[in-house]
Amino acid sequence: MPKNYHFSRTNNLKKIQNVIAAVVIILLIISGIIILPKIPEISLTNLNAIPVTPPPCELSDQLQPPANTANLTFNIPDKSQSQIFRRVKPKNNEKVIALTIDDGPWKKTTLEILDIFKQNHVQATFFWVGTSLKNNPEIAKQVVAQGHAIGNHTWSHSTQPMNPITAKNEIECTAQLIYTTTGVKTALFRPGGGRLNNGLSAYAKTQNYAIFKWSVNSGDSNSSDSQFIVNNVIKGAKTGAIVLLHDGRGDRTKTVKALPEIINRLKQQGYRFVTLPELLEMQQ
């Protein structure tokens, strides 16, 4: 018998043994016999030890909105202040859903999304990153002019733990730029990556923001397949759902491609699109 046959057979047996061992370990973990160590959460008390990052702006109490803009404030109900939301159950279980668009405003992509929303009579909520807003102020004005709600998504989209002073600057510099660019003040906040334990949400709570995660992740940050994005949203859609989509910080052409089908299929299922302030007003 050839030597190669024995080598191949031995090699295959080792592979099978490795697979069996891996399956056994997984089953033991699931059953609780093997306990994996927890990844420790970062204590907020330790954030003070992190060096302060230089602020991206000079904060001022003497701010003026741009000329010829309507001063808008996206307020929230008192009971929503400092609360974290992944989904909002509306009164009477009305079939509503909120599309949220993160990381813009962005050249080309945001404008394409605005056109889709306008054609389909959809209102959404845009969470802006300060650096994106600084680069695209005119696009931001168009978003506001079309009646969409605006939220604060920090200055740099950092997900890393940060000193409370840095966290304040991340949020306040973005809020300041939103106001001086568009005349908008907002009580809506979403931390970068949805991270709740890096100091940003802790500061946002002190300022009575409503903090938003999401109940439906479209997966558009990790997929180049528009149909995958569509299927994720349709599969996760529920009354009062908050859907995560993106228009900035990368190539979002697949999001743009997926959006018309998402809207059409949700409408066929009887959903009505609302902004996050509208959704909070409808809360049970």
Side-chain angles (χ1 to χ4, degrees):
M1 191 173 289
K3 291 183 179 179
N4 285 345
Y5 171 80
H6 290 292
F7 175 78
S8 176
R9 187 165 179 267
T10 303
N11 218 23
N12 287 337
L13 284 172
K14 285 182 179 179
K15 288 180 180 178
I16 293 170
Q17 289 170 347
N18 288 339
V19 169
I20 292 172
V23 170
V24 169
I25 290 172
I26 291 170
L27 290 173
L28 290 173
I29 292 171
I30 292 172
S31 65
I33 295 173
I34 294 179
I35 299 176
L36 293 177
K38 285 186 176 181
I39 298 173
E41 292 283 327
I42 297 162
S43 170
L44 292 179
T45 58
N46 293 334
L47 295 177
N48 289 307
I50 299 173
V52 176
T53 302
C57 76
E58 184 176 339
L59 294 175
S60 171
D61 294 329
Q62 307 298 319
L63 299 177
Q64 294 295 326
N68 302 319
T69 57
N71 293 347
L72 296 173
T73 301
F74 293 106
N75 288 317
I76 56 175
D78 289 347
K79 67 179 181 180
S80 301
Q81 294 178 359
S82 306
Q83 300 301 306
I84 298 170
F85 297 93
R86 291 171 175 84
R87 178 186 170 203
V88 176
K89 293 183 179 179
K91 299 171 184 174
N92 303 322
N93 287 321
E94 186 176 350
K95 208 166 185 183
V96 293
I97 195 165
L99 301 182
T100 63
I101 317 295
D102 283 19
D103 298 351
W106 208 255
K107 289 180 180 178
K108 191 173 183 290
T109 315
T110 304
L111 295 175
E112 290 173 334
I113 289 175
L114 285 178
D115 285 343
I116 293 168
F117 285 158
K118 187 174 182 179
Q119 292 164 14
N120 290 276
H121 308 288
V122 169
Q123 297 302 122
T125 303
F126 287 77
F127 281 98
W128 284 343
V129 172
T131 53
S132 301
L133 175 57
K134 185 178 180 181
N135 292 329
N136 301 290
E138 295 306 315
I139 296 176
K141 292 174 184 177
Q142 292 185 53
V143 176
V144 174
Q146 288 194 19
H148 300 286
I150 306 303
N152 186 322
H153 199 32
T154 76
W155 185 266
S156 67
H157 199 276
S158 175
T159 60
Q160 297 303 309
M162 62 187 71
N163 187 286
I165 296 173
T166 302
K168 174 184 176 179
N169 290 332
E170 282 275 330
I171 294 173
E172 295 296 348
C173 284
T174 305
Q176 181 169 287
L177 187 60
I178 291 172
Y179 181 64
T180 56
T181 303
T182 66
V184 166
K185 292 184 178 180
T186 182
L188 314 175
F189 175 73
R190 175 175 282 164
R195 287 288 300 272
L196 297 175
N197 68 338
N198 61 357
L200 287 162
S201 292
Y203 178 77
K205 285 182 178 181
T206 68
Q207 303 304 301
N208 294 327
Y209 280 91
I211 300 164
F212 290 92
K213 284 181 68 71
W214 52 85
S215 59
V216 181
N217 187 345
S218 68
D220 64 346
S221 285
N222 304 312
S223 176
S224 59
D225 180 3
S226 61
Q227 197 58 51
F228 173 83
I229 297 168
V230 172
N231 293 341
N232 270 356
V233 175
I234 301 305
K235 182 180 178 181
K238 290 181 176 63
T239 296
I242 298 171
V243 181
L244 174 67
L245 295 154
H246 297 84
D247 63 344
R249 288 173 54 85
D251 182 359
R252 306 303 184 188
T253 54
K254 297 302 180 182
T255 304
V256 174
K257 185 177 179 181
L259 202 47
E261 185 177 349
I262 289 171
I263 293 169
N264 185 48
R265 289 177 62 177
L266 289 174
K267 281 186 173 181
Q268 288 177 350
Q269 293 181 21
Y271 283 100
R272 181 169 67 89
F273 297 95
V274 296
T275 64
L276 290 179
E278 290 173 330
L279 189 58
L280 290 180
E281 290 291 346
M282 301 170 69
Q283 187 178 13
Q284 288 180 356

